[in-house]
Amino acid sequence: MSKPQRFATRATHAGREDFSALCVHAPPLDLSTTYPLQDLASGTESFDALVAGAATASNPIYARLCNPTVARTERALAELEETEACVAYASGMAALTAVLLARATHGRHMLAVRPLYGTSDHLLASGLLGIEVEFVEPGEIEAKKRAATSLIIIETPANPTLDLVDIAAVVRAAGDVPVLVDSTFATPVLQLPARLGARFVLHSATKFLAGHGDVIAGVVCCNEADAAALRTVRAATGALLHPLAAYLLHRGLPTLELRVRQAEANAKTLAERLAQHPAIKAVHYPGLGTVKNAALVQSQMQGPGSLMAFELHGGFEAASQVMRKVGLITPAVSLGSVDSLIQHPAGLTHRVVDEKVQQQHGITAGLLRLSVGIEHVDDLWQDLAAALG
Ligand SMILES: *Cc1c(COP(=O)(O)O)cnc(C)c1O
């Protein structure tokens, strides 16, 4: 059978190619921590291969080195991001940390473009890993990179303002330096950074990929050589994805496109209605053209997605009132779940970001971020309109 080309088909079948041969219809869930050895010589061979970063070996040896359920989910995600490989971690932050550690062996200077997810910003700015990170505008990358620059980090659409960054332009400016794109907000339904030359595509799989608010996970999609280095970091540092979480993440993939598209359709309607509402000063949504570099929605994305931020005339008081008054929409951090979530970046996710940086990027006291779910749009609007008063 020829390989199916369309996303919905690949997402439904990826990582399931061997089901007929195994005579199963759902992925086997392997919870083993250790594996019986046939003989010492072949065990040693497998051990060496896995420690050096092989994806699999004839014997998985120990679950920190390899787990078949996790490896299956990784194969599925590599297929959807159109990369050779994928390495899964215990969280999005563990995934980012692993890339930073792997690249730091090539040079301890990195560049990053703000805004970023609050904890990513914090990790990079804190110097916690002994890496020097300079925050730059995309136009400064060429001038600011040095011989020791080993990674360039961007996030698009960016959290929480939905600013867009031109991936292809950053890749061009980066030259030989690998570019990491945090593509969490876009998912492979809306954006394929590897096609544009990004060497690392990172996701907090906690969000859309798993999609049901019950899994914390992170993945890095990349070429096989980079994946080997990332697996070595994972085996050494232990930031593993649990196989049950990998199973649930894999189960989310067949509905990924349906979820992303329904949430996006809802978001388009809500963004238009919010933009007309007298309590609202500004709506930041790529689909309204009201974010930085909004034209990139047409060129590098397949749609504007289901995240937006909006600024209230009434500032902090009005924002906290909306958070208190919503009933259907859950006042909570996180995003990309089947249900709608609303949160206050300055008070929650981006609290760890320097106050000046918050101001520079419009993370104000009156800003709320809305992650639109797949509920009926009229019910969502009724809830929001009532909360806005
Ligand atoms: C949530 C998030 C992260 C961190 O992921 P965790 O799974 O919470 O560790 C990183 N980047 C973005 C854009 C996120 O939204």
Side-chain angles (χ1 to χ4, degrees):
M1 198 177 72
S2 66
K3 237 182 173 357
Q5 296 301 313
R6 291 164 193 86
F7 187 89
T9 311
R10 288 188 288 126
T12 306
H13 291 273
R16 297 161 196 267
E17 298 79 2
D18 56 349
F19 279 12
S20 301
L22 294 172
C23 197
V24 296
H25 189 63
L29 173 53
D30 183 343
L31 295 171
S32 307
T33 55
T34 191
Y35 293 86
L37 299 165
Q38 268 64 56
D39 59 80
L40 184 55
S42 70
T44 301
E45 201 178 295
S46 291
F47 186 90
D48 285 347
L50 293 170
V51 169
T56 53
S58 61
N59 190 311
I61 305 288
Y62 185 58
R64 183 156 41 67
L65 301 175
C66 182
N67 174 278
T69 303
V70 176
R72 179 182 289 288
T73 304
E74 290 171 333
R75 285 198 300 279
L77 282 162
E79 182 171 336
L80 299 188
E81 280 294 347
E82 301 187 4
T83 54
E84 287 173 5
C86 168
V87 187
Y89 293 89
S91 69
M93 291 318 301
L96 178 60
T97 301
V99 181
L100 299 178
L101 291 175
R103 290 309 302 168
T105 63
H106 299 268
R108 304 195 74 85
H109 178 255
M110 297 179 184
L111 300 174
V113 176
R114 279 170 161 150
L116 296 165
Y117 175 69
T119 308
S120 304
D121 190 301
H122 180 62
L123 177 66
L124 297 171
S126 66
L128 196 63
L129 299 174
I131 298 164
E132 186 196 345
V133 180
E134 254 185 281
F135 293 94
V136 296
E137 290 298 317
E140 299 174 316
I141 289 171
E142 223 162 338
K144 294 277 188 174
K145 73 185 174 183
R146 317 173 189 161
T149 310
S150 61
L151 187 67
I152 294 167
I153 300 141
I154 63 173
E155 185 176 306
T156 183
N159 197 344
T161 56
L162 284 301
D163 284 352
L164 303 183
V165 182
D166 188 333
I167 298 171
V170 168
V171 167
R172 272 196 304 278
D176 296 341
V177 182
V179 173
L180 176 147
V181 177
D182 184 333
S183 196
T184 299
F185 275 31
T187 82
V189 177
L190 302 180
Q191 174 172 289
L192 291 167
R195 272 196 195 171
L196 301 170
R199 220 162 96 189
F200 299 94
V201 183
L202 183 135
H203 287 278
S204 167
T206 310
K207 316 294 167 56
F208 290 99
L209 299 184
H212 295 75
D214 52 7
V215 171
I216 293 242
V219 298
V220 185
C221 299
C222 56
N223 68 40
E224 180 50 36
D226 287 325
L230 288 172
R231 292 185 200 107
T232 300
V233 170
R234 183 176 60 186
T237 62
L240 308 175
L241 183 61
H242 189 272
L244 179 56
Y247 176 95
L248 290 169
L249 169 53
H250 196 185
R251 192 162 80 157
L253 298 182
T255 58
L256 178 62
E257 188 171 33
L258 289 174
R259 290 185 280 111
V260 166
R261 288 304 183 191
Q262 183 58 53
E264 179 181 67
N266 289 349
K268 284 179 181 168
T269 304
L270 293 182
E272 280 164 17
R273 292 183 189 172
L274 283 170
Q276 304 295 319
H277 196 282
I280 307 266
K281 196 156 128 192
V283 180
H284 305 285
Y285 181 59
L288 291 181
T290 50
V291 300
K292 209 160 144 192
N293 302 318
L296 290 166
V297 175
Q298 270 81 45
S299 55
Q300 82 181 15
M301 298 183 73
Q302 302 294 314
S306 54
L307 266 300
M308 71 186 72
F310 56 89
E311 172 95 36
L312 292 145
H313 282 299
F316 181 84
E317 275 312 311
S320 65
Q321 178 191 295
V322 172
M323 292 271 291
R324 197 168 55 244
K325 281 195 169 174
V326 283
L328 178 63
I329 300 168
T330 303
V333 299
S334 200
L335 58 103
S337 185
V338 283
D339 58 321
S340 298
L341 304 171
I342 195 162
Q343 71 109 4
H344 188 263
L348 298 161
T349 52
H350 287 67
R351 232 184 141 60
V352 287
V353 176
D354 186 88
E355 237 168 83
K356 263 203 261 85
V357 176
Q358 290 188 30
Q359 275 164 21
Q360 262 166 26
H361 294 282
I363 303 166
T364 61
L367 188 78
L368 289 172
R369 189 194 69 195
L370 176 64
S371 172
V372 180
I374 63 170
E375 301 96 332
H376 196 286
V377 67
D378 291 339
D379 292 325
L380 289 174
W381 177 247
Q382 198 175 14
D383 194 43
L384 257 184
L388 286 166

